[in-house]
Amino acid sequence: MNLPIVLFDDATWRDEFYPFSVNHSIADLRYGIYTQRERWVKLTDTKVYIQTIDYLSALYEPPTQPEAVFVAANVLPNME
């Protein structure tokens, strides 16, 4: 069983993506043809959740399992 992945926004680097990060989590920003979440789903073939700041958290489904792998949303996924 694969653990779900939770992409989280960190306040220390979130402001670097302003104004794009005002209405979206960093994980939902599109660059190229995919968002960060879509890249992680394609690479890992597992459920990916988003944890972000309070006023945006209502837009995203919370994880359903008590255990998950937490990854900063600004980390680019790759096969390695």
Side-chain angles (χ1 to χ4, degrees):
M1 177 171 84
N2 289 343
L3 288 177
I5 296 172
V6 178
L7 298 176
F8 66 91
D9 292 346
D10 189 325
T12 59
W13 47 261
R14 182 177 168 73
D15 290 340
E16 294 177 24
F17 293 90
Y18 180 85
F20 305 108
S21 62
V22 172
N23 296 326
H24 299 282
S25 165
I26 302 303
D28 259 353
L29 295 180
R30 186 170 301 281
Y31 60 97
I33 61 172
Y34 298 112
T35 65
Q36 267 304 68
R37 182 188 348 199
E38 292 169 340
R39 290 176 198 281
W40 279 98
V41 168
K42 283 186 83 55
L43 188 67
T44 63
D45 196 32
T46 188
K47 183 75 173 172
V48 176
Y49 297 95
I50 295 176
Q51 181 180 359
T52 189
I53 57 177
D54 291 338
Y55 76 90
L56 290 176
S57 62
L59 299 174
Y60 302 103
E61 175 187 1
T64 55
Q65 293 180 309
E67 295 181 4
V69 176
F70 285 79
V71 178
N74 65 341
V75 173
L76 254 158
N78 62 42
M79 291 302 290
E80 297 161 359

